[in-house]
Amino acid sequence: MTEQQNVATSETVYPHKTVEQKWQRAWEEQKSSATPEKPGAEKFYVLEMFPYPSGRLHMGHCRVYSIGDALARFLRMKGKSVLHPMGFDAFGLPAENAAIKHQIHPADWTEKCVSDMKDQFHMMGFSLDWDREVVTCRPDYYRWNQWLFLKLFEKGLAYKKAAAINWCDTCQTVLANEQVEQGACWRCGNPVTVKNLEQWFFKITEYADELLADLDTLEDWPDSVKTMQRNWIGRSEGALVDFKLLPADTTLKAGDKCGLGAAEISALPDIEIFTTRPDTLFGVTYMVFAPEHPRVAELTAGTAHEAAVRDFAAKAVIEDRFTRAAADKEKEGLFTGRYAVNQLNGDVVPIYIANFVLMEYGTGAIMAVPAHDQRDFEFAKKFGVPIKQVIQPTDLNSEFRVPNLDLWKSAYIEPGVLVHSAPFDGVNSLDAKKQIVAHLEAQKFGRKTIQYKLRDWLISRQRFWGTPIPVLYCPTCGVVPVPENQLPVTLPTDAKFTGSGNPLAASESFVNAPCPKCGGKARRETDTMDTFVDSSWYFLRYCDPKNSTAPFSRAAATEWMSVDQYIGGIEHAILHLLYSRFFTKALRDLGLCDCKEPFQRLLAQGMVTNTYVDKQTGELAVDETGRLKYAKMSKSLGNGVDPLDIIDKYGADTARLFILFAAPAEKELEWKEDGVIGCYKFLNRVWRMTLQNLDACASAPAVATAVSAESTEAQELNYAINWGIQRVGVEIGERHHFNTAIAASMELLNALQTYTNKTGAAGDRALLGFGIRALLLALYPFAPHVTSELWERAGFGGDIGQQAFPEANPAALILQQVEIALQVNGKLRSKIVVAADADEATVRAAALADEKVQSHLQGREPKKVVVVKGKLVNVVG
RNA sequence: GCCGAAGUGGCGGAAUGGCAGACGCAGAGGACUCAAAAUCCUCCAUGGGCAACCAUGUGUGGGUUCGACUCCCACCUUCGGCACCA
């Protein structure tokens, strides 16, 4: 039996299980994923968002880590010093819920999950440096959370305050603004309510401007993520303006001029408002306070309106913030009986309270210009408040040129020219903004300012399984931070998980502690930190994971940061990515590192979706046209595919290849078993191609060499090989398009197969071997196990992962002859083959002489001939 | 409502302003086989034509250009985010 027949009968399908186990073991023994000691100039930090250790790897995980691993393996071949670490975002509610359910300590439950997940990572063949593993729930990590908290506290960037905050009743804890999605808890979807509590905050607002400005430096971030962050930060330029409060017993009424002198007006109490439209100040016809504004009670004290206003305010405040703030919510309001004076023109305007004015933005009070603001307009219509136009559109046909404002159907919010605003009449409204602000400042009526929607980050959580906030409360000394040398404050092992209340608060051994200052009896803070604190700096810890004297050394951070390529889900567009950017900047200001943005380049990978069964019909869900619908793989839809099943059936290489091939990384990936099988078949073809041509492999040169000029087949193959090599390198390395890189590898295999079909054993064996060699190298980043095995069997020598990624031979890419497309008036009509170095005149003449070109010209003289060298000729006639 | 992304064969998807549909899936035909599976080969946008070939074609309508999937304007649809932020 010949070698070929042997292969054909016994190993036409590659034994993925034995091959994968063999190489996974080998890589572990060789520590092939270890990070180089000194990164050098060519460092590259590849990082995927670390997972929550649920205990089971899902397809979403497989996708992120397959992307990152392909990149890491490719870059190692390219000679970079690659840092590709992994860890676990291990604090969080599921462990605590498991503790309640199964009466197992969250630490034990979490560690078991971590260990299970590591096994699964291993089975996927990811090349991770586990020596740098970071597990956030271990004291050797969270002690540095506490240490960093203390540093932020010293700097005034961590502080405690009473505030109206978001409360999730299901999770029994407060939530940061970023963690509330359309009024519901980001984790469990329960509607969030508002509570007034004393809580710890990080002063992220201190960095609002920098967080916004530096987005412009992140060129390789998706626009969508940058836009989301911009909107979330919500910077708006405007002015703070002081209106003056008239006494309760004034006889003046709305629409009057106050008739008071400047000194008299100046002596009245201020009402400060924020506006982005100072150009409309002369059009103010009323003012509105948020119902819960602290001055509302004072305004109406002892007046006839007192009771009604109090009732209104009470109702508005009880109503939860998110239904109240919905845009389609009916505008409700109430006149307070009081009036204010617009210092700019002496107008007397009524003061209302209304549900649509929010206490937490600006000053909690607004000036209302119904002619030029849609909300103010609707409110004015409903309550019969006058409307005064002060901006005139410049377009003479505009419907807002109608002098009778009763005919207006909406407010005119566009720019225009000022009217009824002496001395600013006739000024363009954009210029008027500046001029009026300058006027306000000169008269001391107000000042320019910048407002943000971004709020400080609420980090307290009333949960057990998180980092204890390192603070004590002493009856004599007050709030006392835990001294550095007493860190970590560890979670107790004796906590009881009953399902009600915070187990930490119930743990006597934890709560009672001596005051570090006076030694008296003190109580520990029982709130823990938001788990997003853990993930806000873990990428820095990877640089120096075993440091026991600091969270990381400045030198190590400087060596590796910033992350050159970060990969993760779009769901963290704001949350994790904004917090991490804030932390990086704050740590820089603490002198701990010197990088200002953590993630140079960001890839937001798409969801993995699958068909699902419609619960109503019991059939696969389809759209109106009968096409199958896809939805994110999830427990609730029951449409998840277990990666372990795929590994078992087709192998990890197939799974990885399919995941990367089926869709561009940033797009949705529709799971199709047929597609998986397609990739499996492709790997089998590679397997057979190699094993059936071992003789060719044995004679293969390592670098491209000259090819016999006699054989056009050989020349074509040589071109295809070098073209494939070049494309794969560019697609992975420069464009990060894994799907097209794999397509290029498939083309390469097709070219090899075409060649062997044509020439059989008579062909240029060395060239074929060279092509197989290149194919294995090109596929290694995606399918490392099978290519390692084939590399070894082909006897190419050494370990494939340690080879240099192949470089195309430029000489091989220079063609003798090229095909030129011939167009007549932009339409393809013919093709000709010319010498690659033919000059323009020759190509032009050949094109014009072409029969089809002639017939389509129908005897007309060409008016113009465009020649694109090596590509096409367009004859215009 | 505002912001962002995207609309290409039966399907997933390719195309630095230069031959639309690479690559794969599905499908059709053939080879091998007693047969099937696997494998290998060929075909595969639509309409017309025996064919050569012709016409049409990248959401819709305009525009720029010798030339537009690609750039510009308007619109439609889908997905995602924000949502009374003064």
Side-chain angles (χ1 to χ4, degrees):
Chain A
M1 215 189 244
T2 68
E3 173 85 24
Q4 281 202 16
Q5 280 167 333
N6 183 33
V7 165
T9 50
S10 69
E11 281 199 325
T12 49
V13 175
Y14 87 97
H16 62 261
K17 283 187 193 171
T18 50
V19 166
E20 291 183 356
Q21 280 165 16
K22 169 183 166 183
W23 288 98
Q24 283 160 12
R25 211 169 295 139
W27 294 331
E28 198 173 11
E29 280 162 15
Q30 296 161 12
K31 290 209 170 283
S32 62
S33 308
T35 312
E37 272 311 313
K38 280 284 163 194
E42 291 283 278
K43 73 97 183 175
F44 202 103
Y45 189 171
V46 183
L47 185 65
E48 305 101 43
M49 290 179 186
F50 64 167
Y52 176 81
S54 61
R56 278 205 93 72
L57 205 63
H58 57 63
M59 271 313 163
H61 292 132
C62 287
R63 193 174 191 192
V64 211
Y65 304 128
S66 294
I67 295 167
D69 196 53
L71 194 60
R73 288 187 186 266
F74 173 77
L75 291 165
R76 286 193 198 101
M77 292 172 92
K78 279 287 194 183
K80 307 273 188 203
S81 302
V82 172
L83 171 57
H84 188 214
M86 186 51 67
F88 293 92
D89 189 11
F91 271 135
L93 267 183
E96 209 166 329
N97 292 336
I100 295 162
K101 208 167 155 192
H102 307 298
Q103 288 302 308
I104 173 174
H105 194 277
D108 299 333
W109 188 83
T110 305
E111 289 294 347
K112 168 79 169 76
C113 289
V114 163
S115 145
D116 288 351
M117 273 186 102
K118 277 174 79 168
D119 288 345
Q120 292 160 30
F121 271 105
H122 203 66
M123 291 172 75
M124 283 296 290
F126 297 135
S127 63
L128 298 159
D129 183 354
W130 287 107
D131 286 346
R132 290 181 181 246
E133 178 180 0
V134 161
V135 180
T136 59
C137 68
R138 293 180 186 161
D140 67 352
Y141 184 78
Y142 73 71
R143 71 170 292 179
W144 299 112
N145 270 352
Q146 295 171 338
W147 188 86
L148 290 169
F149 176 94
L150 295 176
K151 294 292 160 197
L152 293 173
F153 181 73
E154 279 168 26
K155 267 241 167 188
L157 290 171
Y159 67 96
K160 196 172 193 188
K161 74 168 179 194
I165 45 76
N166 313 297
W167 174 263
C168 173
D169 217 42
T170 314
C171 298
Q172 284 286 306
T173 186
V174 300
L175 297 167
N177 281 354
E178 290 81 3
Q179 292 156 21
V180 179
E181 295 170 346
Q182 276 142 30
C185 172
W186 71 289
R187 179 186 289 285
C188 69
N190 190 51
V192 166
T193 55
V194 176
K195 275 198 177 185
N196 250 301
L197 288 171
E198 274 239 320
Q199 299 283 296
W200 286 97
F201 289 85
F202 283 160
K203 217 178 206 170
I204 190 170
T205 53
E206 184 102 352
Y207 289 87
D209 229 359
E210 198 187 340
L211 287 168
L212 182 69
D214 285 351
L215 283 173
D216 293 335
T217 69
L218 300 173
E219 286 169 26
D220 289 311
W221 277 41
D223 286 338
S224 56
V225 174
K226 288 196 276 191
T227 308
M228 278 191 242
Q229 293 212 356
R230 269 187 206 111
N231 292 342
W232 188 261
I233 295 166
R235 181 184 198 267
S236 40
E237 280 183 27
L240 288 167
V241 185
D242 294 323
F243 282 65
K244 290 296 187 177
L245 179 65
L246 287 166
D249 58 359
T250 182
T251 55
L252 293 164
K253 29 183 221 308
D256 288 348
K257 290 284 176 189
C258 72
L260 300 172
E264 286 171 286
I265 293 180
S266 172
L268 294 169
D270 284 331
I271 301 171
E272 189 180 51
I273 60 93
F274 171 71
T275 180
T276 54
R277 292 295 302 273
D279 53 318
T280 64
L281 257 165
F282 290 86
V284 174
T285 59
Y286 61 99
M287 300 186 69
V288 191
F289 275 92
E292 68 271 45
H293 196 290
R295 286 183 65 188
V296 167
E298 164 206 325
L299 287 184
T300 53
T303 72
H305 292 83
E306 184 173 12
V309 166
R310 197 194 308 120
D311 288 352
F312 181 92
K315 228 187 279 168
V317 173
I318 287 168
E319 186 176 23
D320 90 78
R321 152 184 335 178
F322 301 97
T323 42
R324 176 178 148 196
D328 48 9
K329 170 93 182 168
E330 180 71 12
K331 308 223 169 333
E332 283 167 28
L334 191 67
F335 179 45
T336 62
R338 297 291 297 267
Y339 295 94
V341 177
N342 182 347
Q343 297 195 80
L344 239 54
N345 58 7
D347 279 5
V348 172
V349 295
I351 302 174
Y352 286 77
I353 56 172
N355 59 348
F356 71 90
V357 176
L358 309 174
M359 189 58 222
E360 61 268 22
Y361 187 76
T363 63
I366 63 160
M367 67 179 210
V369 186
H372 305 296
D373 180 282
Q374 189 56 28
R375 283 160 312 172
D376 297 349
F377 181 85
E378 286 166 27
F379 189 88
K381 284 278 183 192
K382 183 169 174 183
F383 290 89
V385 185
I387 299 175
K388 181 183 173 191
Q389 181 180 17
V390 289
I391 309 279
Q392 180 92 265
T394 46
D395 174 7
L396 295 177
N397 298 319
S398 167
E399 54 187 312
F400 296 103
R401 297 289 291 202
V402 179
N404 181 358
L405 299 192
D406 291 342
L407 297 176
W408 284 24
K409 291 191 181 63
S410 68
Y412 177 69
I413 57 172
E414 303 298 318
V417 170
L418 266 65
V419 292
H420 306 127
S421 303
F424 299 97
D425 285 348
V427 179
N428 173 300
S429 58
L430 300 174
D431 298 330
K433 274 189 186 178
K434 288 176 203 148
Q435 291 182 23
I436 292 178
V437 169
H439 179 70
L440 290 171
E441 290 185 334
Q443 301 288 314
K444 304 223 181 324
F445 293 164
R447 64 231 134 257
K448 191 178 165 166
T449 188
I450 294 162
Q451 283 283 330
Y452 297 94
K453 271 166 54 177
L454 183 68
R455 298 275 85 97
D456 277 341
W457 175 13
L458 166 55
I459 60 141
S460 303
R461 294 292 179 273
Q462 289 69 47
R463 304 297 316 197
F464 174 85
W465 196 230
T467 306
I469 294 174
V471 163
L472 293 126
Y473 300 100
C474 169
T476 42
C477 310
V479 177
V480 183
V482 175
E484 259 179 55
N485 60 15
Q486 290 179 23
L487 296 181
V489 176
T490 51
L491 289 164
T493 50
D494 64 356
K496 302 269 182 301
F497 297 91
T498 59
S500 69
N502 181 355
L504 204 50
S507 166
E508 291 296 320
S509 69
F510 178 80
V511 171
N512 298 314
C515 171
K517 258 192 195 164
C518 69
K521 276 192 176 176
R523 293 178 59 80
R524 286 193 191 281
E525 170 65 83
T526 58
D527 282 355
T528 51
M529 293 183 207
D530 183 1
T531 56
F532 279 99
V533 175
D534 313 342
S535 54
S536 290
W537 67 279
Y538 76 111
F539 44 89
L540 284 156
R541 182 70 178 173
Y542 281 139
C543 300
D544 193 9
K546 301 211 165 71
N547 197 323
S548 57
T549 57
F552 51 87
S553 79
R554 195 185 168 120
T558 306
E559 271 173 351
W560 287 109
M561 288 295 286
S562 49
V563 175
D564 296 279
Q565 178 68 60
Y566 199 39
I567 306 155
I570 190 81
E571 67 273 17
H572 290 112
I574 295 173
L575 292 159
H576 163 59
L577 291 170
L578 189 65
Y579 295 147
S580 297
R581 296 182 60 225
F582 156 64
F583 247 73
T584 304
K585 291 172 192 303
L587 299 192
R588 174 205 58 197
D589 289 347
L590 290 169
L592 297 173
C593 64
D594 46 23
C595 88
K596 65 177 203 169
E597 282 292 336
F599 314 123
Q600 236 358 276
R601 189 169 181 153
L602 175 70
L603 195 158
Q605 109 275 4
M607 297 184 294
V608 184
T609 62
N610 196 2
T611 53
Y612 59 98
V613 172
D614 188 310
K615 295 226 166 89
Q616 314 240 293
T617 64
E619 314 257 319
L620 283 178
V622 289
D623 65 12
E624 317 75 54
T625 62
R627 284 186 47 182
L628 286 169
K629 287 209 279 189
Y630 284 78
K632 183 173 183 175
M633 286 186 180
S634 68
K635 241 185 218 161
S636 56
L637 287 175
N639 64 342
V641 174
D642 190 340
L644 295 184
D645 289 344
I646 301 300
I647 293 173
D648 184 58
K649 266 167 102 172
Y650 309 106
D653 283 334
T654 298
R656 294 167 53 128
L657 197 70
F658 171 73
I659 283 169
L660 294 170
F661 176 62
E666 62 280 1
K667 284 186 68 173
E668 195 173 282
L669 169 66
E670 293 179 2
W671 188 265
K672 289 200 179 99
E673 183 115 355
D674 282 343
V676 178
I677 293 169
C679 288
Y680 183 58
K681 288 181 179 174
F682 168 69
L683 290 179
N684 277 312
R685 286 177 63 204
V686 175
W687 178 264
R688 287 190 299 270
M689 171 59 67
T690 310
L691 296 190
Q692 288 171 1
N693 295 286
L694 288 173
D695 65 305
C697 296
S699 60
V703 288
T705 50
V707 171
S708 155
E710 287 146 44
S711 161
T712 45
E713 278 94 3
Q715 282 183 339
E716 277 170 17
L717 178 62
N718 191 38
Y719 180 83
I721 293 168
N722 282 282
W723 173 241
I725 288 171
Q726 172 163 295
R727 265 196 70 197
V728 175
V730 169
E731 296 294 333
I732 310 178
E734 289 171 32
R735 310 203 326 159
H736 294 186
H737 287 187
F738 304 107
N739 56 330
T740 50
I742 293 166
S745 307
M746 289 174 169
E747 284 183 65
L748 178 49
L749 174 65
N750 289 345
L752 296 174
Q753 194 142 16
T754 304
Y755 185 73
T756 52
N757 287 341
K758 275 189 192 163
T759 63
D764 183 338
R765 302 303 284 167
L767 178 63
L768 180 68
F770 173 68
I772 291 170
R773 190 179 189 281
L775 176 64
L776 296 181
L777 290 167
L779 280 173
Y780 169 80
F782 312 112
H785 308 89
V786 65
T787 49
S788 291
E789 177 69 14
L790 289 172
W791 186 268
E792 184 181 82
R793 293 202 191 193
F796 288 130
D799 192 298
I800 187 172
Q802 285 166 23
Q803 308 302 311
F805 197 82
E807 295 282 344
N809 175 6
L813 292 173
I814 297 168
L815 292 167
Q816 297 302 306
Q817 296 192 307
V818 286
E819 193 180 59
I820 301 287
L822 300 184
Q823 295 181 335
V824 177
N825 293 328
K827 281 188 183 169
L828 180 70
R829 294 301 180 187
S830 183
K831 287 177 182 184
I832 50 169
V833 175
V834 300
D837 56 1
D839 62 16
E840 196 176 314
T842 315
V843 177
R844 182 193 165 104
L848 288 172
D850 185 82
E851 243 176 67
K852 297 224 182 75
V853 170
Q854 283 299 326
S855 82
H856 280 278
L857 272 175
Q858 294 174 317
R860 293 184 303 265
E861 270 305 301
K863 288 184 203 139
K864 186 174 180 180
V865 180
V866 180
V867 180
V868 181
K869 192 167 176 4
K871 282 195 176 154
L872 112 177
V873 176
N874 186 15
V875 181
V876 186

